[in-house]
Amino acid sequence: MLKLDLTIREMLEILETEAVGVPSRALNRKVNLCMDSREKAKGVVFWPIKGVRLDSHQFVNQMEKEGALMSVVNQETMEEYSTRNETFKAYAPVDDTTKALLKLAQGYQRRFKVKKVAITGSNGKTTTKEMVKAVLSSKFVTHATQGNFNNHIGVPITLFQLKHSHEAAVIEMGTSGPDEIRPLSLAAEPDVAVITNIGASHLERLGDLDGVFKEKINITAGLKKGGVLIVNADDPRLCKVKSTKNFKVVTFGLRRGMVKPQKLQWNENACADFYVGRTHFVLNVPGNHNLYNALAAIAVGEAFRVSKAQIARALGNFRATNMRMEIKKANGFKIVSDCYNANPSSTRMALQTIGNMNVEGCRIAVLGDMLELGKVSSEQHKSIGALVPEMNFDLLVAVGKEARHYVEGAKQRGMANVEHFDSVQEAIEFLSDVVSKGDVLLVKGSRGMKMEQVVDAMEKLAPVSKM
């Protein structure tokens, strides 16, 4: 349940609708918004969402019986129910409850004087969001998307959590298909928008990289006039984005960009040590990709006039979020846990990161399926498999149906030490017999593969000693 600083009357005004069957005295009550029929119903405004698998309108009557004050319902669904002689007692009709939720979120966030940053991209958006939050928190009371609540439900929830004490908000925006980011941006109306990169993600519905770009650039739809769009200058598509009369473009990158690292060095854990201007930055998260994320966060900090010294301190104290390139010290060896998700771009970056690390023993890549790649899935898995030996890995352990193509790609590049398993458990049993002291394991795969089970098992492992 979300407690909104908004009366039901004000909610109806934003939605441009009227309540039916709701006592006039109840209109002055604050909105307790509920989207889950399993929550307590007493006094709530129930908001059913019609999804692909489930239409929550079927729970409206149940919620009424359990004490819901009213529901916001689809007009069309209400009419369908009336043909079956089923009625809702207290409700407000809208054309579409999903779109109406975003409309309410837009109206709600306008009530707060908050600087807003919207972040999207094929890779790194959640880590960039957390870095930006750390940077802005050094100067402002900052609210941010929790976890990866970044879709048509998650973004409104983030906006509904705003308080008058907040001075800044960081809102992550994701997509799995065409025209999903545009309404999120329109709801949030950010002052600054960030696109981390354009990569091979959600190709099943977006088609190709041009389709991904067309979707991601829609984050400018709600960008306030005079706002700032921050983009990756090393990305072949984003580097072509230019300033307009509505917004200014600020670029970052390793090779080019307005925010670019100088005197770049890498420590033994592949973490970046660099300067931007006269300010020294030392990261505690590994890899090129995290350097890119940090550069984006620096650009956001500068857009909001956070001092470079504050930005450097915030980023120096930043640690990886759960299952995103976390370096875990196990019993005599290291595990790099990057199990939160996987697509070709992020997997390539992870392999490059470990390939550049100083390793006493062997480099072991434990790679699960990359999901939602559609027709190009086998080709993309094969390409990543070919990269494994190039990045100096000594062993490839592939897990899952599509992972067979990792093996194919690696073998074509002359790698002999490769294994394939259908299940995570089989991979764990194999690894338990081969991991030695001094080794580094990269564990990565799409969320649905549950590769964190490998990490959990390896953390408990007593490795064999090298002869």
Side-chain angles (χ1 to χ4, degrees):
M1 184 174 68
L2 293 160
K3 294 185 177 183
L4 275 56
D5 187 10
L6 190 77
T7 66
I8 292 174
R9 190 186 305 279
E10 290 167 330
M11 178 192 77
L12 296 172
E13 287 172 1
I14 292 171
L15 295 176
E16 298 178 281
T17 187
E18 294 182 0
V20 177
V22 180
S24 58
R25 66 182 181 277
L27 299 180
N28 294 322
R29 291 175 62 172
K30 290 288 179 77
V31 175
N32 290 328
L33 188 64
C34 172
M35 288 181 280
D36 188 341
S37 62
R38 295 166 296 183
E39 292 183 1
K40 289 183 179 178
K42 190 168 177 60
V44 306
V45 174
F46 180 53
W47 203 291
I49 299 292
K50 186 174 183 178
V52 176
R53 298 183 186 87
L54 179 71
D55 184 354
S56 296
H57 285 80
Q58 64 183 286
F59 302 114
V60 170
N61 287 327
Q62 171 197 317
M63 294 296 280
E64 285 179 341
K65 289 174 186 174
E66 293 176 8
L69 189 62
M70 63 172 291
S71 300
V72 175
V73 299
N74 287 346
Q75 175 79 38
E76 186 179 335
T77 304
M78 189 184 66
E79 290 168 1
E80 287 174 12
Y81 273 60
S82 66
T83 61
R84 303 198 298 261
N85 292 321
E86 294 182 44
T87 57
F88 302 145
K89 292 177 183 176
Y91 62 90
V94 294
D95 289 339
D96 183 315
T97 54
T98 301
K99 291 178 181 177
L101 191 68
L102 285 161
K103 185 174 183 176
L104 180 62
Q106 181 194 59
Y108 190 70
Q109 58 84 9
R110 287 176 176 174
R111 301 165 69 87
F112 299 85
K113 293 180 180 178
V114 176
K115 305 172 193 296
K116 297 182 294 296
V117 185
I119 298 174
T120 194
S122 297
N123 303 294
K125 55 184 173 289
T126 299
T127 302
T128 302
K129 177 256 299 181
E130 293 295 336
M131 285 184 172
V132 169
K133 179 187 177 184
V135 166
L136 295 185
S137 293
S138 67
K139 185 175 180 179
F140 307 107
V141 178
T142 304
H143 172 56
T145 301
Q146 294 177 356
N148 70 329
F149 272 39
N150 60 20
N151 64 5
H152 58 288
I153 305 297
V155 168
I157 287 174
T158 300
L159 296 173
F160 292 146
Q161 291 168 337
L162 285 171
K163 294 181 172 61
H164 290 287
S165 58
H166 289 136
E167 299 169 301
V170 190
I171 304 135
E172 181 181 332
M173 297 181 181
T175 179
S176 59
D179 206 31
E180 292 182 359
I181 286 179
R182 180 188 300 276
L184 305 183
S185 177
L186 289 169
E189 298 179 322
D191 302 274
V192 172
V194 179
I195 307 177
T196 60
N197 47 49
I198 302 299
S201 58
H202 304 294
L203 297 182
E204 219 165 16
R205 294 181 60 202
L206 293 174
D208 55 21
L209 291 178
D210 288 333
V212 175
F213 171 77
K214 287 175 185 174
E215 175 61 12
K216 299 295 184 184
I217 199 68
N218 282 338
I219 201 167
T220 60
L223 190 58
K224 286 184 179 174
K225 191 163 186 178
V228 176
L229 174 65
I230 296 171
V231 298
N232 185 338
D234 291 341
D235 185 285
R237 289 167 179 80
L238 292 175
C239 69
K240 296 174 183 174
V241 179
K242 305 299 181 188
S243 297
T244 72
K245 62 181 180 180
N246 293 321
F247 57 83
K248 173 187 174 184
V249 170
V250 171
T251 58
F252 65 92
L254 303 193
R255 296 185 292 277
R256 53 188 170 181
M258 299 175 189
V259 180
K260 187 170 74 170
Q262 293 133 6
K263 302 178 185 176
L264 175 61
Q265 296 180 317
W266 300 91
N267 68 17
E268 61 180 9
N269 286 327
C271 297
D273 181 316
F274 61 98
Y275 283 80
V276 173
R278 296 179 182 176
T279 307
H280 186 203
F281 291 82
V282 181
L283 302 184
N284 275 298
V285 285
N288 259 3
H289 58 299
N290 275 318
L291 176 52
Y292 275 110
N293 298 338
L295 294 173
I298 293 167
V300 173
E302 290 186 324
F304 286 114
R305 298 184 180 178
V306 182
S307 74
K308 277 215 186 86
Q310 285 176 296
I311 298 172
R313 197 156 43 245
L315 291 177
N317 291 329
F318 180 82
R319 298 294 185 275
T321 50
N322 191 31
M323 296 194 292
R324 286 184 170 87
M325 289 301 285
E326 281 185 285
I327 298 178
K328 294 175 174 280
K329 290 184 179 178
N331 297 313
F333 64 98
K334 290 179 182 177
I335 306 165
V336 181
S337 171
D338 197 13
C339 311
Y340 194 83
N341 218 335
N343 59 40
S345 302
S346 66
T347 306
R348 191 171 287 111
M349 289 174 187
L351 289 168
Q352 290 167 345
T353 297
I354 309 307
N356 289 319
M357 278 179 72
N358 293 324
V359 178
E360 293 175 18
C362 295
R363 291 181 180 86
I364 302 173
V366 188
L367 304 180
D369 287 352
M370 300 180 292
L371 305 176
E372 296 184 42
L373 291 178
K375 294 178 181 177
V376 298
S377 181
S378 58
E379 169 196 328
Q380 291 289 344
H381 281 82
K382 188 175 175 181
S383 173
I384 292 297
L387 186 63
V388 174
E390 286 183 27
M391 290 296 107
N392 306 310
F393 279 81
D394 303 283
L395 169 63
L396 167 63
V397 177
V399 185
K401 182 180 176 183
E402 291 298 306
R404 295 179 188 278
H405 300 293
Y406 288 138
V407 173
E408 187 182 348
K411 283 184 174 179
Q412 284 184 0
R413 287 298 173 94
M415 188 174 191
N417 206 5
V418 295
E419 299 287 342
H420 175 268
F421 300 99
D422 291 322
S423 72
V424 167
Q425 193 53 46
E426 288 174 299
I428 290 170
E429 290 171 9
F430 170 78
L431 287 165
S432 298
D433 292 329
V434 299
V435 173
S436 302
K437 289 184 177 180
D439 291 351
V440 173
L441 277 74
L442 168 66
V443 185
K444 186 162 180 65
S446 281
R447 192 72 197 91
M449 295 301 295
K450 298 183 179 178
M451 297 298 287
E452 67 274 12
Q453 293 175 14
V454 176
V455 176
D456 293 342
M458 293 299 101
E459 282 190 288
K460 299 167 187 170
L461 180 69
V464 297
S465 296
K466 284 186 166 60
M467 299 300 289

